[in-house]
Amino acid sequence: LKADVVIGSHEDEDHTNFSLVEGSFEKLVEFGSFTVNDVSIELCEGSHGTLEGQSLGTVRMALIKADGLTILHCSDLQVIPTGAALQKLMNLDIVLCPVGGGYTFGPEKAKEFLDMIKPKIAIPMHYKTDRLTIPLDPSAIGNFEKLCPNMENLGKSELVISKADISDKCRIIKMNYA
């Protein structure tokens, strides 16, 4: 795996395993704004929520601007942002949103969040698959699909989107995992 930049979204080992990336690359692990090869990246604070009354800390959501598109990777977001933090996330082109529950949004909270921010394209992530060993509810993606009956099943793990592919109507696209 090669990359120009790798973002560590929070301090969990599965989110900062930089050893998987070959060669030299820029590591982004602090909140702030960065530019790498004409790509603008802002790492915004989000809440990883709580577990058994204990805070799980913060996550770094990645707000990326490239090729005329604005993309948000929500990381392991578990709590819907409020105020100015929420306003910054409104009407984006593409949002990758966790839906699997556990340490992230579950299906209902993900749907509530997406209804609030109104992205043009939403891609569900962080849900149980046969390759994932984290104990998540295997019914979460199906429950999310019931809440979003127009969800498209892409049937592959790669998606190429340009500004021309963006419409005013929100599309929810489920991709295969790689």
Coordinates of all heavy atoms in Angstrom, one line a residue, residues 13 21 27 33 46 63 79 90-91 100 105 130 137 146 166 175 178:
E13 N -5.3 1.4 17.8 CA -4.2 0.7 17.0 C -4.7 0.5 15.5 O -4.0 0.7 14.6 CB -3.8 -0.6 17.6 CG -2.7 -1.3 16.8 CD -2.3 -2.6 17.4 OE1 -2.3 -2.7 18.6 OE2 -2.0 -3.5 16.6
V21 N 1.8 1.0 5.4 CA 2.0 1.9 4.2 C 3.5 1.9 3.9 O 4.3 2.1 4.8 CB 1.5 3.3 4.5 CG1 1.7 4.2 3.3 CG2 0.0 3.3 5.0
K27 N 2.2 12.0 7.7 CA 1.3 11.5 8.7 C 0.5 12.7 9.3 O 1.2 13.6 9.7 CB 2.0 10.8 9.8 CG 2.7 9.5 9.5 CD 3.4 8.9 10.7 CE 4.3 7.8 10.3 NZ 5.0 7.3 11.5
S33 N -5.5 22.4 9.9 CA -5.7 22.4 8.4 C -4.3 22.2 7.7 O -3.3 22.7 8.2 CB -6.2 23.8 8.0 OG -7.5 24.0 8.6
G46 N -14.4 15.4 16.7 CA -15.6 14.7 17.0 C -15.5 13.9 18.2 O -14.4 13.6 18.7
L63 N -12.1 16.4 6.8 CA -12.8 17.2 5.9 C -11.9 17.5 4.7 O -10.9 18.2 4.9 CB -13.4 18.4 6.5 CG -14.3 19.3 5.7 CD1 -15.6 18.5 5.3 CD2 -14.7 20.5 6.6
V79 N -21.1 10.6 18.6 CA -22.0 11.7 19.1 C -22.1 12.7 18.0 O -21.1 13.2 17.4 CB -21.4 12.3 20.3 CG1 -22.3 13.5 20.8 CG2 -21.2 11.3 21.4
M90 N -22.5 20.7 6.9 CA -23.8 20.7 6.2 C -23.5 20.7 4.7 O -22.6 21.3 4.2 CB -24.6 21.9 6.5 CG -24.9 22.0 8.0 SD -25.9 20.7 8.6 CE -27.5 21.5 8.4
N91 N -24.4 20.0 3.9 CA -24.4 20.0 2.5 C -23.1 19.6 1.8 O -22.8 20.2 0.8 CB -24.9 21.4 2.0 CG -26.3 21.7 2.6 OD1 -27.2 20.9 2.4 ND2 -26.4 22.8 3.3
G100 N -22.4 0.9 12.1 CA -22.4 -0.4 12.8 C -22.6 -0.4 14.3 O -22.7 -1.5 14.8
F105 N -21.6 5.4 15.5 CA -23.1 5.5 15.3 C -23.6 4.2 15.0 O -23.0 3.4 14.2 CB -23.4 6.4 14.0 CG -23.2 7.9 14.2 CD1 -22.9 8.6 13.0 CD2 -23.3 8.5 15.4 CE1 -22.7 10.0 13.1 CE2 -23.1 9.9 15.5 CZ -22.8 10.6 14.3
D130 N -17.8 -10.3 7.3 CA -17.2 -11.6 7.7 C -15.7 -11.5 7.9 O -15.1 -12.4 8.5 CB -17.5 -12.7 6.7 CG -17.0 -12.4 5.3 OD1 -16.5 -11.3 5.0 OD2 -17.2 -13.3 4.4
D137 N -22.9 -5.6 15.9 CA -24.1 -6.2 15.6 C -24.2 -6.5 14.1 O -24.1 -5.6 13.3 CB -25.3 -5.3 16.0 CG -26.6 -5.8 15.7 OD1 -26.8 -6.9 15.1 OD2 -27.6 -5.1 16.0
K146 N -32.9 -0.7 5.9 CA -34.4 -0.6 6.1 C -34.8 0.9 6.4 O -35.8 1.4 5.9 CB -34.8 -1.4 7.3 CG -34.8 -2.9 7.0 CD -35.2 -3.7 8.3 CE -35.0 -5.2 8.1 NZ -35.1 -5.9 9.3
I166 N -22.5 14.6 -9.0 CA -23.2 15.0 -7.8 C -24.5 15.7 -8.2 O -24.6 16.5 -9.1 CB -22.3 16.1 -7.1 CG1 -21.0 15.5 -6.7 CG2 -23.1 16.6 -5.8 CD1 -21.0 14.3 -5.7
M175 N -20.9 0.1 -0.6 CA -19.8 -0.5 -1.4 C -19.4 -1.8 -0.8 O -19.6 -2.1 0.4 CB -18.6 0.5 -1.4 CG -18.9 1.8 -2.0 SD -17.5 3.0 -1.8 CE -16.2 2.1 -2.7
A178 N -13.0 -4.2 0.8 CA -11.8 -4.8 0.1 C -11.1 -5.8 1.0 O -11.2 -5.8 2.1 CB -10.9 -3.7 -0.4

